[in-house]
Amino acid sequence: GVENISNGAPYKSKIRPIELEDLLCRDEVKINLGEIFGYIKGETVLVTGAGGSIGSELCRQVVALGPSKILLLDHAENSIYDIEMELCKLSTACTVVPIVADVREKKRIDQVFASHKPSVIFHAAAHKHVPLMEVNREEAIRNNIFGTKNVAEAADRYNAKSFLLVSTDKA
């Protein structure tokens, strides 16, 4: 208890630093970076939702793994500009291509795939704020379901090597 700790009782020695797993309430996921590096290095990688908090972090991590090109796709030009500028400062050999597009627009997504032929796709574009989307269901369905369908079908049509749906609350 707090009283025991504050008066220096023997329990003080049982205090330990907080670990990430304490906050997650689950075991840490071990990632095989060598395996990931192997399928990203030298590839053209598309990140949808690249301007968002999850998408932009994906971009930072992907660039470090050596793709030849990273396509930053989002419908918000300001956030795409910000992550593009950040990635360009890293001075990697990776070409950074900002793409302002909406995943709901099937024809535009097809143009992106036809032009750039991405082989690895990280699909993070989605409305993720569940309570807000519960009162805006039509928009959530259009974006999260039909947008995902458009990107997944284009990945299939253009023979992408991998398609990873980055699912958070949108599941």
Side-chain angles (χ1 to χ4, degrees):
V2 175
E3 294 147 3
N4 291 334
I5 293 170
S6 63
N7 68 19
Y11 296 106
K12 191 171 185 179
S13 65
K14 295 186 181 196
I15 296 176
R16 63 173 174 76
I18 295 174
E19 301 290 332
L20 182 61
E21 294 78 21
D22 297 328
L23 303 174
L24 293 175
C25 300
R26 63 170 172 79
D27 291 336
E28 178 183 3
V29 175
K30 302 291 184 194
I31 297 174
N32 182 340
L33 288 178
E35 185 178 325
I36 293 170
F37 182 74
Y39 83 85
I40 289 179
K41 184 167 177 51
E43 299 290 340
T44 297
V45 178
L46 167 65
V47 179
T48 69
S53 58
I54 294 169
S56 61
E57 182 56 31
L58 271 170
C59 292
R60 291 178 195 100
Q61 292 185 27
V62 163
V63 164
L65 297 174
S68 63
K69 185 190 301 184
I70 184 167
L71 311 173
L72 314 174
L73 189 143
D74 204 302
H75 70 278
E77 77 276 9
N78 288 337
S79 58
I80 285 296
Y81 176 80
D82 290 343
I83 190 64
E84 176 193 17
M85 292 299 103
E86 182 181 337
L87 296 179
C88 287
K89 287 178 186 172
L90 298 176
S91 67
T92 66
C94 176
T95 302
V96 178
V97 180
I99 300 170
V100 177
D102 191 324
V103 295
R104 296 173 296 186
E105 300 295 329
K106 186 176 182 175
K107 186 175 179 181
R108 177 69 173 120
I109 295 302
D110 200 62
Q111 289 172 341
V112 169
F113 274 80
S115 296
H116 298 282
K117 310 264 188 303
S119 55
V120 178
I121 294 91
F122 291 94
H123 178 55
H127 292 309
K128 297 175 178 78
H129 301 283
V130 174
L132 179 61
M133 292 297 93
E134 285 176 340
V135 295
N136 293 280
R137 289 180 184 94
E138 294 83 9
E139 184 61 22
I141 289 167
R142 252 193 316 276
N143 193 72
N144 295 8
I145 295 174
F146 295 119
T148 298
K149 182 177 186 284
N150 289 340
V151 177
E153 287 178 346
D156 183 51
R157 268 193 311 281
Y158 288 91
N159 300 310
K161 202 163 73 169
S162 69
F163 176 94
L164 177 69
L165 173 64
V166 180
S167 181
T168 57
D169 288 341
K170 69 184 175 193

